[in-house]
């Protein structure tokens, strides 16, 4: 996605969060940028170019949320920037989708659903960092969006991200406990005409064995000593924690921000050891070095704001010696030779030797994080992963592969393809789990539609006269 497309996408996110009428939105699309979007004449959804967004008008209100003209315009621009065709998508249809999103967020507030402030802050920070990297600085980003300062823009992004998070939370609540019985799955499948049943693409199942180079106690002691040196310099000499984080922290997500993590609550999804330190220190205190699954840290409590805490941290990794890397290489090569020679099966070797806790007890079988089963669609796999296993036949063992875990620590792996599934028409027995998911999804959609009908009646909804003739999927006009 190019810079202009990304900024348009984020502009849409910002404007959808605003609950006030603004006089002009030309700060996003310059007068020289002629872009084709559907005309505002609802009765005639033909396409025509325009150069500026005109003065704002309120198209709809859902609960406390307002949907403006520019929200629809920029919705089209967002789709176009992502390569999605807008042909056949009327303004009525897009307005209906925007109202649906606002309804979820409105009801989430009514139901007192909570979202993680830390996650919203993290998402907002990532967006601002990316925009700053594209435009050159935060000051230029603020100027581009005609804001007095970056804090105002950050607040609007935060509000937009919070609305999206609330909407997602509400959707999850509606369908959270839904299940389908075997009889419902059977009825769903056999209700589809045979020539209309889905075709499933080629898939594979993959197992792995992971070996980690051993970290010596000396390497751990050295990492802890470096953190203690930094801690002493900060406490005794007044050195800047933020500067040291920028220079030395190994956390790619926070190092550029001086190690800053804001809005941490007691239910935030962070490592237990990290949370223990966050809520046991006073404002201005610096922790002793402590360990999590990510490495070793020191932590500084910057601000305590009621139930929320802002902290900075520095992450360090113990150095892995060349000797340890070579030993791990020799170990995994020996395991591979035993498997290829038939002295041990891949599954047995995984259970005996693999150091990956999530897969070793299952014979190394990898679970697809998107579908939560063991099958991977070859057309949708991560490109790097796909390249490593694509040409393996069933039972083949890959060469040793060097990889890194989420902390950046080096790993050595071997893969095997335990089974291949060619492209085929859906089979009730063979594809039961996938058919079950399709049946569940259909049931969830029906439940969401039912929920919408019930909640719209109880929610304040106003639709502009220009859209009274729209054929909405939901009863937004309350006829």
């Amino acid at each position: 996605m190019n810079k202009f497309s990304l900024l348009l996408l984020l502009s849409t996110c910002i404007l959808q969060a605003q609950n006030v009428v603004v006089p002009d939105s030309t700060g996003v699309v310059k007068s020289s940028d002629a872009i084709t979007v559907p005309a505002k004449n609802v009765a005639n959804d033909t396409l025509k170019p325009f150069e500026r967004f005109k003065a704002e008008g309120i198209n709809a209100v859902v609960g406390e949320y307002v949907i403006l003209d520019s929200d629809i315009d920029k919705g089209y621009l967002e789709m176009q920037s992502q390569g999605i065709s807008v042909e056949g998508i009327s303004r009525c249809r897009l307005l209906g989708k925007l109202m649906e999103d606002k309804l979820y967020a409105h009801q989430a507030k009514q139901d007192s659903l909570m979202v993680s402030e830390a996650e919203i802050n993290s998402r907002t920070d990532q967006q601002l960092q990316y925009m700053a990297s594209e435009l050159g600085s935060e000051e230029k980003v603020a100027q581009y969006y005609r804001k007095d300062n970056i804090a105002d823009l950050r607040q609007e992004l935060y509000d937009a991200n919070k609305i999206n998070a609330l909407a997602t939370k509400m959707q999850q609540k509606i369908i959270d406990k839904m299940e389908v019985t075997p009889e419902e799955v059977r009825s769903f499948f056999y209700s589809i005409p045979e020539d209309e049943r889905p075709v499933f693409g080629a898939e594979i199942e993959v197992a792995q064995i992971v070996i980690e180079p051993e970290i010596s106690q000396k390497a751990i002691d050295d990492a802890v000593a470096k953190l203690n040196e930094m801690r002493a310099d900060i406490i005794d000499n007044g050195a800047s924690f933020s500067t040291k984080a920028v220079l030395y922290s190994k956390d790619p997500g926070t190092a550029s921000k001086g190690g800053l993590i804001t809005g941490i609550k007691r239910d935030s999804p962070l490592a237990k050891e990290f949370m223990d330190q966050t809520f046991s220190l006073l404002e201005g205190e610096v922790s002793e070095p402590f360990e999590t699954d990510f490495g070793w840290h020191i932590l500084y409590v910057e601000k305590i704001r009621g139930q929320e805490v802002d902290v900075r941290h520095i992450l360090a990794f113990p150095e892995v010696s060349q000797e340890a890397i070579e030993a791990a290489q020799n170990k995994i090569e020996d395991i591979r030779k035993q498997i290829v020679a038939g002295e041990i099966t891949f599954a047995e070797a995984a259970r005996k030797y693999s150091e990956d806790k999530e897969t070793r007890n299952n014979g190394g079988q990898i679970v697809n994080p998107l579908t939560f089963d063991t099958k991977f669609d070859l057309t949708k796999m991560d490109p790097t992963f796909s390249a490593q296993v694509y040409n393996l036949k069933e039972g083949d063992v890959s060469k040793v592969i060097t990889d890194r875990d989420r902390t950046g620590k080096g790993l050595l792996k071997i893969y095997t393809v335990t089974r291949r599934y060619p492209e085929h028409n859906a089979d009730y027995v063979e594809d039961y789990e996938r058919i079950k998911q399709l049946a569940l999804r259909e049931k969830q959609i029906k439940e969401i539609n039912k929920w919408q009908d019930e909640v719209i009646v109880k929610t304040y909804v106003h639709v502009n006269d220009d859209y009274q003739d729209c054929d909405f999927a939901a009863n937004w006009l309350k006829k």
Side-chain angles (χ1 to χ4, degrees):
M1 184 180 294
N2 61 34
K3 173 168 64 180
F4 182 66
S5 298
L6 172 75
L7 293 172
L8 285 175
L9 187 154
L10 292 171
S11 300
T12 305
C13 185
I14 293 169
L15 281 168
Q16 288 182 1
Q18 295 176 329
N19 296 332
V20 296
V21 176
V22 294
D24 190 16
S25 56
T26 57
V28 178
V29 179
K30 308 303 182 185
S31 60
S32 60
D33 295 320
I35 299 172
T36 299
V37 301
K40 288 188 175 67
N41 183 350
V42 178
N44 179 19
D45 277 322
T46 56
L47 298 180
K48 68 178 182 180
F50 73 99
E51 293 185 344
R52 282 182 178 267
F53 293 114
K54 297 181 180 179
E56 295 281 27
I58 297 177
N59 287 331
V61 179
V62 179
E64 64 189 85
Y65 296 110
V66 170
I67 301 172
L68 306 174
D69 259 349
S70 63
D71 294 332
I72 298 178
D73 292 331
K74 292 185 178 69
Y76 282 108
L77 291 171
E78 180 179 343
M79 288 188 289
Q80 289 175 324
S81 73
Q82 297 179 46
I84 301 172
S85 173
V86 299
E87 185 177 355
I89 300 178
S90 67
R91 297 182 72 82
C92 289
R93 181 176 172 186
L94 193 49
L95 177 61
K97 178 63 172 66
L98 293 174
M99 287 194 290
E100 181 181 319
D101 292 340
K102 304 305 183 190
L103 183 69
Y104 289 133
H106 172 76
Q107 192 61 38
K109 285 190 174 183
Q110 302 304 306
D111 291 357
S112 301
L113 299 185
M114 304 297 292
V115 293
S116 169
E117 301 291 332
E119 288 185 13
I120 297 171
N121 278 314
S122 177
R123 172 62 178 155
T124 303
D125 289 341
Q126 289 174 6
Q127 290 171 333
L128 287 173
Q129 286 175 31
Y130 196 92
M131 286 190 286
S133 69
E134 290 294 308
L135 292 178
S137 68
E138 289 188 344
E139 289 74 18
K140 289 183 178 179
V141 174
Q143 183 181 15
Y144 184 87
Y145 284 99
R146 296 187 176 183
K147 300 299 175 185
D148 293 334
N149 52 63
I150 199 67
D152 290 344
L153 177 59
R154 187 187 191 286
Q155 185 61 50
E156 289 187 6
L157 278 172
Y158 174 90
D159 292 341
N161 288 328
K162 187 167 185 177
I163 287 173
N164 292 337
L166 283 170
T168 300
K169 197 89 170 181
M170 191 67 241
Q171 287 177 311
Q172 290 173 342
K173 179 182 177 182
I174 297 168
I175 64 175
D176 187 43
K177 296 181 180 179
M178 293 191 68
E179 296 180 351
V180 285
T181 65
E183 178 57 28
E184 287 176 318
V185 177
R186 191 193 69 79
S187 296
F188 167 78
F189 180 74
Y190 288 107
S191 68
I192 305 172
E194 192 168 340
D195 60 348
E196 296 179 14
R197 288 172 186 168
V199 175
F200 294 136
E203 298 172 306
I204 59 173
E205 293 181 334
V206 183
Q208 67 177 359
I209 294 174
V210 180
I211 299 297
E212 301 178 10
E214 184 177 354
I215 299 174
S216 67
Q217 186 59 49
K218 181 180 182 305
I220 295 173
D221 292 342
D222 288 345
V224 172
K226 288 179 181 178
L227 289 175
N228 273 322
E229 287 177 13
M230 286 187 268
R231 180 176 185 271
D233 194 23
I234 293 164
I235 294 174
D236 299 336
N237 304 320
S240 168
F241 193 104
S242 177
T243 299
K244 289 189 180 294
V246 171
L247 294 174
Y248 304 113
S249 181
K250 301 299 183 182
D251 180 4
T254 65
S256 63
K257 301 182 293 182
L260 181 65
I261 303 176
T262 60
I264 299 176
K265 292 185 175 181
R266 291 189 180 274
D267 61 350
S268 296
L270 299 172
K272 179 183 181 301
E273 299 87 351
F274 197 96
M275 295 291 287
D276 289 343
Q277 294 292 331
T278 296
F279 290 98
S280 64
L281 298 174
L282 299 176
E283 192 171 298
E285 284 192 308
V286 182
S287 74
E288 300 278 352
F290 63 95
E291 185 180 15
T292 70
D293 287 341
F294 296 92
W296 286 84
H297 314 248
I298 53 173
L299 182 146
Y300 166 68
V301 175
E302 180 160 290
K303 188 72 176 178
I304 297 175
R305 297 180 283 106
Q307 299 300 312
E308 296 185 0
V309 183
D310 298 341
V311 305
R312 296 183 185 272
H313 83 120
I314 297 172
L315 174 64
F317 300 144
E319 295 291 334
V320 179
S321 68
Q322 186 59 38
E323 292 80 4
I325 294 173
E326 291 175 358
Q329 182 79 30
N330 292 335
K331 180 177 180 180
I332 198 167
E333 289 283 9
D334 183 61
I335 294 170
R336 184 180 185 278
K337 288 178 182 178
Q338 292 181 53
I339 296 169
V340 172
E343 298 173 12
I344 189 172
T345 67
F346 195 99
E348 290 169 342
R351 283 188 279 267
K352 185 174 182 180
Y353 300 113
S354 183
E355 295 171 3
D356 181 70
K357 297 176 182 178
E358 294 180 359
T359 61
R360 67 185 179 194
N361 293 329
N362 194 31
Q365 200 74 52
I366 302 174
V367 173
N368 188 329
L370 300 178
T371 61
F372 302 106
D373 64 14
T374 56
K375 295 178 181 177
F376 289 84
D377 187 324
L378 285 169
T379 64
K380 299 176 182 178
M381 291 176 67
D382 173 81
T384 301
F385 184 29
S386 176
Q388 292 166 344
V389 300
Y390 189 86
N391 293 320
L392 293 178
K393 298 177 182 178
E394 284 189 17
D396 283 355
V397 182
S398 72
K399 301 291 186 182
V400 176
I401 296 165
T402 301
D403 200 358
R404 293 188 179 277
D405 66 8
R406 59 184 178 177
T407 70
K409 182 170 56 179
L411 305 170
L412 297 172
K413 296 181 177 181
I414 53 175
Y415 293 114
T416 189
V417 172
T418 55
R419 189 170 179 185
R420 282 185 171 271
Y421 301 84
E423 182 179 296
H424 62 283
N425 293 324
D427 178 89
Y428 180 69
V429 176
E430 187 72 30
D431 302 303
Y432 181 81
E433 287 301 322
R434 294 185 67 172
I435 295 167
K436 179 180 177 181
Q437 290 303 313
L438 293 175
L440 176 60
R441 182 58 184 156
E442 182 185 62
K443 187 175 181 179
Q444 290 171 340
I445 290 172
K446 290 180 179 178
E447 183 64 23
I448 286 174
N449 290 337
K450 177 184 175 184
W451 178 89
Q452 279 186 10
D453 291 341
E454 294 173 352
V455 175
I456 287 173
V457 172
K458 299 183 291 184
T459 304
Y460 174 75
V461 177
H462 173 75
V463 180
N464 188 292
D465 289 345
D466 290 343
Y467 291 87
Q468 289 293 316
D469 292 331
C470 288
D471 184 19
F472 293 117
N475 186 26
W476 295 111
L477 302 176
K478 298 187 178 182
K479 293 181 178 179

